[in-house]
Every structure is written in structure tokens, then in C-alpha cells.
Amino acid sequence: MALAIGGLALFSQLGQLGNALRSPEYIRLSAACIVLTFVLLVFAYRRGRATWWIAAPIPLLVAIGGSGLDDPVASTSLALASTVVLSLYGSTKPWVARVVVL
């Protein structure tokens, strides 16, 4: 259920892509980062746990994905969606790393 809600939160932001200060190439990169974030969440769900190689790139993907949004403050939903899903499937060390970085 958390993966479905997290996926909905991530994919709902794809309609908000289009920051006027970014190039079209950067907007496509932002969209790819949002989709890749969802793919990593699916990997964590399928494995039943989040490993360091899943948790480590999430902050970077959220930052790049969120900076391409029309309203970059909306990237908060990207961070919350990924943190909630990964906190359900992770151990304490990756959880602390995500909370400190995000």
C-alpha cells in the first residue's frame, strides 16, 4: 500500500515539470530522476528491504527531480514519498542516512 501511495505521489509530480529557468534537456533529466526514484522504491519493495545502494542515490534523484518542477517547493512530496516507502523496508542505518540527508 505504501508503494502505491508513494508511486502516486511521485507520478503526480510529472505533470508539474516545466521550470522556466531550466532547459528542456534538464526537464527530461528531472522526469527520468523521478521515474528512477520509483524504480528504486519498487526494488526495495520486491526485496522486502532497502539496502545502501537503494538508499544512497535517493537524495540526489529527489534534488534533481524536484528542481525541474514548476514549483520546486513541491519536491517536498518527492522526499516524503521516498522516505516513507524506504523507511518501511529498511534497517536503522539507511534510515538514519536518509533522514539526515533529506
Side-chain angles (χ1 to χ4, degrees):
M1 188 60 146
L3 179 64
I5 294 171
L8 181 64
L10 290 172
F11 287 124
S12 69
Q13 296 303 318
L14 289 176
Q16 299 220 5
L17 287 169
N19 191 332
L21 301 175
R22 306 289 181 188
S23 67
E25 293 82 15
Y26 193 88
I27 300 301
R28 286 193 292 275
L29 175 66
S30 295
C33 286
I34 293 172
V35 171
L36 185 57
T37 301
F38 179 72
V39 168
L40 290 176
L41 296 181
V42 170
F43 278 138
Y45 172 75
R46 297 282 303 194
R47 291 178 52 104
R49 64 187 188 114
T51 58
W52 67 269
W53 60 269
I54 291 176
I58 293 291
L60 179 64
L61 294 173
V62 166
I64 294 172
S67 64
L69 297 177
D70 192 28
D71 179 16
V73 177
S75 62
T76 306
S77 68
L78 300 176
L80 285 172
S82 60
T83 301
V84 166
V85 173
L86 291 178
S87 67
L88 292 175
Y89 302 113
S91 63
T92 304
K93 288 180 185 177
W95 177 81
V96 169
R98 284 189 300 275
V99 170
V100 168
V101 174
L102 288 177

